[in-house]
Amino acid sequence: MNPTIERIKGGLIVSCQAYPGEPLRHPETMAQFAMAAVQGGAVGIRCQGLADIQAIKGQVSVPVIGIWKDGEEGVYITPTLRHARCCAAAGADIVAIDATRRPRPDGLSYADTVKALHDEGILVMADCGSFADAQQAVEAQTDIISTTLSGYTGEREKTPGPDFELLEQMVKAFPQTPVICEGRIHTPAQLHEVMQMGAWAAVVGTAITHPTTITRWFADKIG
């Protein structure tokens, strides 16, 4: 097992991202969020955009999972080989890419993309939306598979919390491949449950680093 992947085993990865137009969307701010998360016990950071990757990599010693969102629909999470290479060049220790079976903007297959990245020594995390996506990722010898896109591609219903069913399927079917649970982990209890189910690690974003959403959760309970 790659040492970088070993370092995140059994731990919490915190996603530090802000959406376009939000007050916190600034690389230095995201780096501060990342440092605070590491102080709190995070074993890894997931972040978006080349500037954020660079800023965060310069401030934390834990592995950084980098993505580059380009677009708003279809394949937009690190959608092409070029995007993935740029994330690695910016300092990402692991590059997460869309692992769905949808057409990729550059015309390459998912397997071709992974092979090209592996040839350059780049670790790849597959953001899957279904079990079939996970199968494709494993067949391509992807380093890590995750539940990130469950509920967002039309193949699975969007669950209110983590997609426990998909996580269980992936863990049982692919015991030799690290499986990360990502998506809608909103409470420590949910985090505990997914780790007990055999997740290699778990990614929590909104519930830790998106104060607008957290505030709305509370505000909606007033009245």
Side-chain angles (χ1 to χ4, degrees):
M1 184 63 63
N2 183 280
T4 298
I5 299 175
E6 282 284 1
R7 290 179 62 193
I8 62 174
K9 184 177 183 179
L12 167 64
I13 299 163
V14 174
S15 180
C16 300
Q17 299 182 48
Y19 298 99
E22 292 185 339
L24 300 178
R25 191 174 172 89
H26 190 280
E28 183 178 359
T29 303
M30 290 299 101
Q32 291 169 335
F33 262 112
M35 289 187 285
V38 172
Q39 286 186 358
V43 301
I45 298 295
R46 177 169 164 130
C47 57
Q48 190 283 135
L50 305 184
D52 285 15
I53 293 170
Q54 289 178 320
I56 290 171
K57 184 61 179 175
Q59 296 294 337
V60 302
S61 59
V62 299
V64 172
I65 300 171
I67 66 172
W68 180 356
K69 292 181 179 178
D70 192 358
E72 297 180 354
E73 58 183 27
V75 176
Y76 67 89
I77 296 180
T78 324
T80 70
L81 177 59
R82 179 181 67 86
H83 287 83
R85 284 171 168 158
C86 288
C87 288
D93 300 290
I94 300 167
V95 176
I97 68 176
D98 181 303
T100 63
R101 301 173 327 281
R102 299 174 293 185
R104 307 180 71 80
D106 58 5
L108 294 177
S109 69
Y110 175 80
D112 288 341
T113 302
V114 173
K115 183 180 185 306
L117 294 173
H118 279 172
D119 287 345
E120 297 170 25
I122 299 171
L123 295 174
V124 182
M125 172 173 161
D127 285 355
C128 303
S130 66
F131 184 77
D133 292 343
Q135 284 182 307
Q136 170 183 254
V138 171
E139 289 171 0
Q141 300 182 347
T142 311
D143 303 287
I144 300 168
I145 57 177
S146 74
T147 60
T148 308
L149 289 174
S150 173
Y152 298 103
T153 65
E155 289 194 84
R156 294 187 62 80
E157 180 182 355
K158 185 178 180 180
T159 54
D163 191 337
F164 294 111
E165 181 181 54
L166 178 59
L167 174 64
E168 182 179 30
Q169 292 174 340
M170 290 166 62
V171 169
K172 287 184 177 180
F174 311 115
Q176 303 304 315
T177 303
V179 179
I180 289 180
C181 185
E182 179 174 9
R184 301 181 297 280
I185 300 177
H186 293 155
T187 68
Q190 290 175 334
L191 173 62
H192 177 75
E193 185 171 353
V194 301
M195 296 308 295
Q196 291 296 111
M197 291 175 64
W200 185 270
V203 176
V204 177
T206 298
I208 296 176
T209 60
H210 200 249
T212 300
T213 298
I214 299 168
T215 302
R216 189 176 298 120
W217 289 344
F218 283 87
D220 287 346
K221 296 301 180 181
I222 294 177

